[in-house]
Amino acid sequence: MKEGRKPYIAGNWKMNLDRSRALDLIKTIKGRLGDGNDREVAVFAPSVYLADVSAVAQGSPLGVGAQNLYFEREGAFTGELSGAMLREVGADRVLIGHSERRHLFHEPDDWMARKLRAALDAALLPVLCVGETLDERKGGKTDRVLKRQLETALMDVVAGEIRRLTIAYEPVWAIGTGEVATTEQAGEAHAFVRRWIAQKLGTEAGEAIRILYGGSVKPDNVKALMALDDVDGVLVGGASLKPDTFLPIIEFDT
Ligand code: 13P
C-alpha cells in the first residue's frame, strides 16, 4: 500500500450463494461500510443477481461488478453477456481473464484485449487478472507468463485509460488452496507488474495503477499483504462469502 493509491478490497463470489444469501450479505456489508473515503470496496456477483445486488448497494460507495463479459456488442453468442447488458443491470465493473475463465473455460490470451476494450467502451471498470500456474512457477517462468498476459491484454490500452484499470495478481496455485503466496513472492510479482506498466505506459501510469493480490486471502493474512508497497488491495474468493470472514478483511487496519 502506498499513499496516493486507495486500497481496493473486492470479493469474488464466483458461482456461490443463492439470491437470498447474496442479498443478506450485501446488506450486511453496506451497513458496515463507512463513507468509502479511505478504501474502495466491491463485490463481483453472479450475473443473474446483479440487478438485485446493485439495487441494495445503491446509495452507498459499494461497487458491484460482473465476473466476466463477452467482447461483442450483440449477436448470436448463446450464453454470453455484453458490457452494455451488465451495465444496464447495475454493474459498474467487471473481472477479465480470471484464471478459472482462462484454465477451466480455455479463454485464450488474445481475447483479453478485446474484453478490456469492450469493458472500457461500456463504461465498466475492468479488473484484469493475471497469474502463473504451479508448473510455471516451478519452472521459473513466472515473469515470462505475467509479461505475456500483460502484453496481450494491454496492447491497445493508452496511458489516459490507466486510472480506470486495475490489475489483480492471482497465482493459480494459491486460489482456493489455502496456500497464500509469501510476502516475498507477492512483492516480487507485484513489483514486476508495476515495472512493466511503467515501461509500457509511463512512470506516472506505473505509480497510479492499483495491483490487487488474490489467492487464499483471509482475515489473518490481509494485513501482511497490504503492508507491501506494491499491493494496493485484495481480491478475495472463499473468505468473501461470509460476513465473519469478509468484514475483518474489509476493515483491516493499516
Ligand atoms: P480464494 O480466495 O478462494 O483463494 O479465491 C481467490 C480468487 O480467485 C479471487 O478471484
Side-chain angles (χ1 to χ4, degrees):
M1 233 170 30
K2 224 175 157 192
E3 191 126 4
R5 295 194 294 262
K6 190 177 190 173
Y8 185 168
I9 317 295
N12 173 10
W13 292 350
K14 309 192 180 186
M15 197 176 77
N16 290 299
L17 303 171
D18 55 25
R19 184 175 173 278
S20 94
R21 282 191 295 157
L23 293 181
D24 283 350
L25 183 53
I26 200 78
K27 280 178 202 154
T28 307
I29 299 168
K30 183 182 176 183
R32 282 280 285 268
L33 214 58
D35 54 16
N37 283 338
D38 68 338
R39 58 198 75 191
E40 181 170 345
V41 179
V43 297
F44 292 89
S47 298
V48 287
Y49 303 140
L50 279 172
D52 293 327
V53 168
S54 65
V56 173
Q58 209 162 35
S60 81
L62 197 51
V64 175
Q67 298 169 9
N68 184 30
L69 89 172
Y70 194 56
F71 46 76
E72 297 289 354
R73 283 174 192 272
E74 60 185 359
F77 304 106
T78 302
E80 294 297 320
L81 299 168
S82 72
M85 289 172 177
L86 298 171
R87 181 92 205 147
E88 200 181 6
V89 291
D92 66 355
R93 60 198 72 204
V94 63
L95 296 180
I96 292 176
H98 190 279
S99 74
E100 285 143 24
R101 300 298 324 166
R102 292 180 191 262
H103 296 290
L104 296 176
F105 300 100
H106 308 292
E107 288 194 5
D109 279 343
D110 66 348
W111 278 15
M112 304 312 159
R114 302 176 76 181
K115 288 185 172 219
L116 217 59
R117 178 53 45 212
L120 290 166
D121 288 351
L124 292 165
L125 301 166
V127 176
L128 173 72
C129 305
V130 296
E132 81 287 1
T133 63
L134 187 57
D135 279 352
E136 289 164 342
R137 174 159 284 270
K138 283 184 173 160
K141 295 187 191 139
T142 301
D143 288 358
R144 207 181 316 165
V145 170
L146 294 178
K147 181 168 177 273
R148 189 195 74 229
Q149 291 175 338
L150 291 166
E151 233 158 36
T152 46
L154 300 182
M155 60 187 177
D156 296 329
V157 171
V158 296
E161 289 171 319
I162 210 78
R163 286 197 180 272
R164 295 163 61 199
L165 173 72
T166 303
I167 310 276
Y169 168 63
E170 299 204 303
V172 180
W173 48 272
I175 296 178
T177 58
E179 191 176 345
V180 66
T182 63
T183 48
E184 196 183 358
Q185 289 168 327
E188 276 173 11
H190 281 236
F192 178 87
V193 172
R194 194 175 303 288
R195 270 199 312 277
W196 190 90
I197 299 276
Q199 268 163 20
K200 155 100 178 153
L201 295 160
T203 324
E204 217 175 295
E207 273 301 305
I209 188 96
R210 287 185 297 179
I211 308 169
L212 316 184
Y213 169 82
S216 298
V217 175
K218 306 282 180 248
D220 62 6
N221 58 29
V222 64
K223 199 170 165 174
L225 289 161
M226 291 301 293
L228 300 171
D229 266 5
D230 286 315
V231 174
D232 308 305
V234 284
L235 182 54
V236 187
S240 73
L241 299 173
K242 288 192 182 134
D244 288 4
T245 43
F246 196 37
L247 291 176
I249 294 176
I250 293 175
E251 293 168 353
F252 81 95
D253 51 18
T254 52

